[in-house]
Amino acid sequence: MLHGEIQQWTVHSKTKQDYVISIHMPENPPPSEGYGVLYVLDGDAYFQLIKEVIRLQAKRSAKTGVSEVIIVGIGYGAKDFHSRRVFDFTPPAESDHLPLRPDGSAWGDTGGAEQFNDFIENELKPAINKEFPVNQENQSLFGHSLGGLFTLMTMMNNPTSYHAYFACSPSIWWNGEALMQEVPAFMEEFEQRQENRDIRLFLAAGGDEKEHLLIAVRKYYEKIKEMEQLSVIYKEIEGENHASIIPTVLSTGLRFLR
């Protein structure tokens, strides 16, 4: 694969689900330690946007603070990607704890997050590490909305899966804010861990988002912001909504992940 090119894989996982994996190689040769890797959830929607933001700013990395990385978009390439992502990004949920979707429909199948994480950790990451010169100490995960929820769950269940996490408009409200119940145990276990590795978290939300989303994100941030071994930033941008917040905070978030 040539530098600066995009490659696409269709991966049939052990769970019998197909994923379309989009990979962008940096334009310059790898440093001695290998390239960093940014894994992008909802790759069908966000891979191209994030690729261009990084490509343009990495040309002057010393000024922009955004470095070249391998970008790995995890997508579906199918008409049913809405239902697929709901299943992949969520833990099991009680239906009476879920509001209707914005279009008024039900959510469909939920609860596939553990299975999806197994795919990433045990199938996708090893394939990327085998194919490309990768710095396994410099890996990040980006997720928006339910993808942001999955990003936070990944950090809380196994913090060293990545060195940095970018959770944009995370759906912490999911299942009656069930994630909040796990925060005290996460904080205690995280502070007692033996690894000295710095973990970074960038949280963002738009000021014009749904009230239940903002309340939950603010509550989550207030609980974890004092953790000594977790570097965390929260940006809430006035005038931005659930969609517009993504391009608005990308540069700041990517700079924080480096």
Side-chain angles (χ1 to χ4, degrees):
M1 183 175 178
L2 298 176
H3 295 291
E5 286 194 343
I6 295 174
Q7 189 175 109
Q8 265 197 351
W9 299 350
T10 298
V11 178
H12 187 67
S13 73
K14 293 177 181 177
T15 60
K16 305 188 184 308
Q17 296 290 341
D18 289 332
Y19 293 94
V20 176
I21 308 301
S22 302
I23 305 158
H24 179 255
M25 280 286 285
E27 296 182 358
N28 293 306
S32 58
E33 67 274 15
Y35 294 118
V37 184
L38 173 60
Y39 288 88
V40 177
L41 304 179
D42 281 319
D44 303 287
Y46 303 128
F47 172 79
Q48 288 289 349
L49 172 64
I50 292 175
K51 175 187 75 70
E52 284 303 302
V53 169
I54 292 177
R55 186 185 66 82
L56 290 171
Q57 297 195 53
K59 293 178 182 296
R60 295 190 174 184
S61 182
K63 289 188 175 181
T64 64
V66 176
S67 301
E68 285 190 315
V69 292
I70 296 173
I71 306 165
V72 179
I74 307 172
Y76 305 100
K79 293 181 179 179
D80 63 345
F81 79 93
H82 287 294
S83 59
R84 290 278 308 277
R85 70 184 292 274
V86 169
F87 180 74
D88 279 348
F89 297 163
T90 60
E94 298 292 336
S95 59
D96 59 352
H97 288 173
L98 299 178
L100 290 176
R101 299 179 71 166
D103 63 1
S105 63
W107 287 93
D109 292 338
T110 66
E114 184 175 350
Q115 174 180 297
F116 181 57
N117 185 66
D118 285 343
F119 162 70
I120 296 174
E121 292 295 326
N122 299 318
E123 297 185 63
L124 181 57
K125 278 187 175 181
I128 296 294
N129 294 343
K130 181 180 179 181
E131 188 71 20
F132 305 105
V134 166
N135 179 359
Q136 296 188 41
E137 299 299 311
N138 181 10
Q139 308 218 351
S140 306
L141 178 65
F142 167 89
H144 171 250
S145 195
L146 288 176
L149 173 67
F150 179 87
T151 298
L152 294 179
M153 289 191 300
T154 302
M155 181 190 73
M156 292 170 64
N157 291 329
N158 190 4
T160 55
S161 291
Y162 305 87
H163 90 282
Y165 299 83
F166 189 151
C168 192
S169 305
S171 301
I172 300 170
W173 55 265
W174 180 261
N175 196 23
E177 298 185 9
L179 187 72
M180 293 299 300
Q181 299 173 20
E182 302 174 22
V183 170
F186 161 67
M187 294 175 65
E188 182 177 354
E189 293 172 8
F190 190 88
E191 295 300 322
Q192 292 178 356
R193 67 197 180 103
Q194 298 301 311
E195 302 97 330
N196 293 320
R197 187 179 178 189
D198 177 41
I199 305 297
R200 304 170 73 78
L201 170 63
F202 185 85
L203 279 170
D208 288 351
E209 303 219 40
K210 298 289 187 181
E211 185 177 10
H212 65 272
L213 184 147
L214 284 174
I215 289 172
V217 174
R218 291 166 183 162
K219 191 186 305 183
Y220 183 86
Y221 173 67
E222 287 300 317
K223 280 190 173 292
I224 67 168
K225 68 180 182 180
E226 302 300 333
M227 294 175 63
E228 293 183 0
Q229 296 186 56
L230 179 68
S231 298
V232 57
I233 284 181
Y234 174 50
K235 295 289 185 181
E236 185 176 310
I237 311 298
E238 290 186 20
E240 304 299 345
N241 58 42
H242 198 59
S244 66
I245 185 62
I246 304 162
T248 303
V249 299
L250 263 182
S251 294
T252 305
L254 292 170
R255 192 177 303 123
F256 181 72
L257 298 185
R258 66 176 305 179

